[in-house]
Amino acid sequence: MAEYIKRVIEKLEILGKDLFEQINRGENPRMLIPARSLKNVIFDKKEFILRLGDKKIERDFFNLHKAKKFMQTLLVASFAKELLKENIHASLREAFYAMKRTLPNSNENTFDEQDESDSCIVDLEVTLDVLREQLHLNADTKGRVVGDVIIEDRGDVIDWSKLGSGGWAIPSNVEAIEFKKVEAEFVLVVEKNAAWERLHEDKFWKKHKCILLTTQGQAPRGARRLIQRLNQEFNLPVYVFTDSDPYGFYIYSVIKYGSINLAHISDRLGTKDAKFIGLTMTDIETYKLKNWTIKAKDVDIKRAYELLNYEWFKKKHWQREINKFIEKKYKAELESLAGRGLKFVTETYLPEKIKNEDFLD
Amino acid sequence: MTQSLDISEKIKEVSIAEFFEKNRHLLGYENPSKSLFTVIKEFVDNSIDACIEANILPTIEVKLRKLDENRYRVRVIDNGPGINPKKLPIALGKFLVGSKFYRLRQSIGTQGIGAKGAILYSQLTTSKPAKIYTATINSKKIYYFELMIDVIKNEPKVIKYSEEENKDNWHGLDIEIEVEGKYTSKIEEYLKLIWLVNPFTKIVFEKDGEKIILDRVTNKLPKQPKEIKPHPYGIELGIFKRMLEITDKKTLLDFLVGEFSRISLITVIRVLKLSLRAEEIEIKDKELKVFDFLKKEFKQDYIIKKTLEETGLDENKKIIELNEQELRKLFLSYKILQYMFKDPKEISLQEAEKIFNTLQKVKIRAPPTDCLSPIDNKYLIDALKKLYPAEYYVAITRKPKVYRGFPFQVQVAIAYGLKELKKMEEEEIPSQSIILRFANHTPLLYNARDCAITKVLMSINWSHYGIQSGNSNLPADNMLILVDFISVWIPYKSEGKQAIAEYPEIIKELELSVQEALRKVYLYIYKKRKAELIKAKRNIFERYLPEVARSISILSNYDENEIRKKLEEIANKKLPEIEIEV
């Protein structure tokens, strides 16, 4: 049995024994769970990372409003313990179905929506200070990667350069991946699949000796951990390439500092060296993309104001970028570069930005 | 009550038929369905009253047969004291303007034109006589009459008469008439409801062969309501004047003390003192003492002494010694005494008005209130249980109060959480809760909107008592609220006698009564909701408990059953079962 499995099982047993002791003393059993609200998320300016604060919420059983959540959390915990003992994994969806059942003499289910079990899983991660992957609960797979890299995954040797147009699908758990060969000078993280496909078709990764990765929207945990490992283990700079709007900026910040939702594991997922390559609001002017911008919606502006207040966007150049967005009220998608010609992004925009080290930190 | 007088007067003036035709709507005969309802109501009300007065447990049979689209045969048989055959034609066939304008006595039937009206209505719509059997208690014979009313002469007309042997020692009254009418569910509703508040009654209702039997829930008759004299505050000038005209009392003093309640000699002296002006009288022998002078004239020592006490004149002073002010007092005392011994018929209209107005101003004790007879709360609840199965019942009777000199009392009953929702509520008020209004133990089934009871219910803050309200702020919960207003004189809003007038004292008392009953209901609702909440909690915890125990057992490796048992113990400690006292 792997070392981490023993460690996680022990943590789960401590949780169970603590509850047993409380019950044995005739007390209302309760758990303390770190609060996951924005108010309890702290930006660590020294480490450049988002962390959870000390605020904890109590979840007890003999409480009409909390009884169900209490039961659900315990169902997840015991389910995880069984997975670990048998050394098998389950996806979040599988876990939901495995734990969902109708309670006797009622028409009430243990869980009605996957959201409920997902939220209990995160609670358990935070409470036990473990990753869901360590609980053998895997997030859905998302994100693809190509590059001159060879890895070994569960005994299979995979060459990222020989996987055709689709590339390698990044699994949710990349802990056990072993890198056999890494020939690259940097990692280019692309928000959107379409842009990634354009760069892949143009063999950008070959020409510029890079690893080309798409997060397909908000970066999933597997992809973030993979970026972090490539950065930490091979010292590769990481450039993030997203739309020029608050959502794009936030995707970059998540890769760099971690997310509000998963603040508790930022240190295991964040890549603080990551840099923002574009699109910046300034790029729109520099590269004459104005014709291909889209009018910003009210919600976009609202989101921009939220970003202005995040501690980790307090840097001058970011405030400038966001304010510019608010002022101009337009945004540009990665695909808008195609307005300047299909190969503009591959042959002009990215090479120039990299050459000039025109990044935002 | 003026209406009652007006009607009596009108009856005297015009022919009864004319009067009836013109005032049908006022008397409850405005349309075929209301008319059939009124006919039955008049007979049944009278029967119950007659039985109570004779101390007989009432058994009343109502037989209704449809003869034609708009024609019914109605027969009402009671086991009451019956009517003396000699008096029967007059009692049922002549509209009387008696010496009594109204009786101040709590009774079910109202002093309208009652059974006579029903008989007349039958005659006017079908030209058939009323067929009547009667026998008084211990009568050897049963008497049979076929009776009509000569509407021009206002005389009964006996069409047929016969006697038969009373083999079974029957007593009571058995009236059958044919009327134009239409059946409505209000008739059945009326019979059920009058039974509800007179639960010592047995009612058998037979309609076209189908029978409904409402058996009495008790063999105990209620206390006999006592008749009382009118209180000066409750009388109107017109009636006061008529009373002076027709009284058989010989002096004003006897009239005032004898015909009214709570008027004493002192009250009479005070009233006259304030109503009369002193007039100079000629006195021959001025050497006489005041008392002796008056004694010679008026004889009655005690009354003279009391009068002088009230006017403040020393009875031992000689008249010659009196100063001017004292002399005026003597003249006034003389006048007071003179009027006290005056024949009431000699009082002028202006004097009567003056005395009447003064009577309203002086302080007079409230009338006696032991004349009222509410239903025993226990029997009311027993009857409610039969008609309206519910979770919880409460009935309260407050102490009698007085409005305008009339004693009255309010009784309220509530059946909360009705088991089967019966469609008996009044059509005019679309609300979920059933509202039952009564006056002197007879249901009020029309004009709900105009009635003081409804108005008071509309002003209640229902949410304060944990009860939902709906349209017009009437209660909307699954419950029944019964209000019975009893009095020696019910202040109906109109001759239809279906709505109680809104005197401030009545509104206030109705409000307090309803609130008192609601407080008890609220206590029940509160306990019930609390118990339900605890039960709901228990259910939730009981449902989750096995899952929690199993999970903790998997996590901690301790025995699942042990954890379960301990959790159950904690649950029992935390959530004690609350008993509901009803």
Side-chain angles (χ1 to χ4, degrees), chain A residues 101-115:
Chain A
R101 56 184 162 267
T102 304
L103 292 162
N105 307 319
S106 75
N107 47 16
E108 190 182 353
N109 293 326
T110 48
F111 294 93
D112 286 317
E113 304 284 342
Q114 194 190 323
D115 281 356

Side-chain angles (χ1 to χ4, degrees), chain A residues 24-72:
Chain A
N24 208 25
R25 287 195 297 268
E27 292 168 11
N28 175 8
R30 56 177 204 145
M31 301 179 255
L32 287 175
I33 295 168
R36 291 190 283 116
S37 58
L38 179 59
K39 274 186 190 157
N40 198 36
V41 171
I42 297 159
F43 181 61
D44 183 335
K45 285 179 186 163
K46 226 157 92 196
E47 295 285 328
F48 287 107
I49 223 163
L50 293 179
R51 291 189 193 284
L52 269 190
D54 296 331
K55 226 183 113 206
K56 290 189 176 179
I57 52 161
E58 194 177 283
R59 187 165 294 168
D60 52 352
F61 181 45
F62 291 105
N63 178 324
L64 215 47
H65 306 290
K66 295 182 180 174
K68 186 161 195 183
K69 209 82 204 264
F70 181 88
M71 171 195 69
Q72 289 176 332

Side-chain angles (χ1 to χ4, degrees), chain B residues 255-412:
Chain B
F255 168 76
L256 288 172
V257 173
E259 300 279 25
F260 295 92
S261 78
R262 304 301 201 207
I263 296 189
S264 62
L265 169 64
I266 304 292
T267 316
V268 176
I269 298 168
R270 283 181 190 160
V271 166
L272 291 177
K273 188 179 140 194
L274 292 167
S275 312
L276 302 172
R277 276 170 159 258
E279 262 171 64
E280 198 172 335
I281 41 167
E282 211 178 303
I283 301 167
K284 281 170 194 157
D285 188 353
K286 295 197 174 174
E287 283 302 314
L288 280 174
K289 285 182 181 171
V290 167
F291 177 80
D292 294 332
F293 165 70
L294 291 172
K295 164 108 188 194
K296 258 173 70 187
E297 200 77 23
F298 301 108
K299 318 278 188 300
Q300 310 252 8
D301 291 17
Y302 181 72
I303 296 173
I304 295 164
K305 284 185 183 208
K306 283 287 158 194
T307 306
L308 290 172
E309 267 173 39
E310 285 299 318
T311 50
L313 190 59
D314 185 347
E315 59 171 75
N316 292 318
K317 269 199 177 168
K318 284 183 180 169
I319 291 168
I320 195 124
E321 295 165 1
L322 298 177
N323 62 28
E324 198 171 330
Q325 201 194 350
E326 286 168 327
L327 215 51
R328 285 184 62 82
K329 282 181 181 172
L330 176 66
F331 297 153
L332 184 61
S333 304
Y334 186 88
K335 185 111 183 219
I336 290 169
L337 287 159
Q338 194 182 25
Y339 267 78
M340 275 200 277
F341 294 112
K342 214 171 183 176
D343 185 334
K345 293 183 177 64
E346 284 169 19
I347 303 289
S348 75
L349 289 180
Q350 286 90 331
E351 285 165 344
E353 194 168 336
K354 192 94 213 238
I355 293 168
F356 173 83
N357 287 336
T358 314
L359 270 172
Q360 307 304 310
K361 280 178 217 145
V362 298
K363 223 176 160 190
I364 302 171
R365 268 199 302 151
T369 53
D370 60 349
C371 48
L372 300 173
S373 173
I375 325 144
D376 194 317
N377 286 330
K378 181 189 174 295
Y379 302 139
L380 179 59
I381 287 177
D382 286 347
L384 271 173
K385 280 179 181 166
K386 280 201 171 178
L387 278 190
Y388 299 96
E391 280 168 39
Y392 176 73
Y393 299 89
V394 63
I396 62 118
T397 311
R398 283 174 57 85
K399 287 209 178 90
K401 293 279 165 4
V402 174
Y403 79 94
R404 300 223 22 227
F406 299 113
F408 73 100
Q409 194 165 14
V410 177
Q411 186 161 27
V412 174

Side-chain angles (χ1 to χ4, degrees), chain A residues 70 107 136-137 194 202 207 213 250 295 301 308:
Chain A
F70 181 88
N107 47 16
H136 283 196
L137 293 162
D202 294 352
K207 274 182 228 158
L213 189 148
Y250 187 69
K295 201 167 169 278
I301 303 291
L308 273 183

Side-chain angles (χ1 to χ4, degrees), chain B residues 465-532:
Chain B
Y465 301 97
I467 293 166
Q468 291 188 318
S469 57
N471 281 349
S472 308
N473 191 41
L474 284 167
D477 271 1
N478 183 21
M479 62 177 233
L480 171 151
I481 180 157
L482 176 157
V483 181
D484 195 354
F485 177 89
I486 61 175
S487 178
V488 295
W489 183 261
I490 307 279
Y492 287 112
K493 274 196 161 171
S494 68
E495 200 55 31
K497 297 182 175 171
Q498 294 290 325
I500 296 166
E502 297 138 64
Y503 285 96
E505 299 93 329
I506 291 175
I507 292 282
K508 181 91 202 135
E509 185 61 15
L510 282 169
E511 226 167 57
L512 290 171
S513 307
V514 170
Q515 285 167 347
E516 187 176 326
L518 283 175
R519 273 195 293 278
K520 298 202 168 162
V521 172
Y522 176 65
L523 216 63
Y524 169 78
I525 295 174
Y526 175 78
K527 279 184 185 162
K528 185 185 160 186
R529 292 202 180 144
K530 198 160 171 194
E532 274 171 358

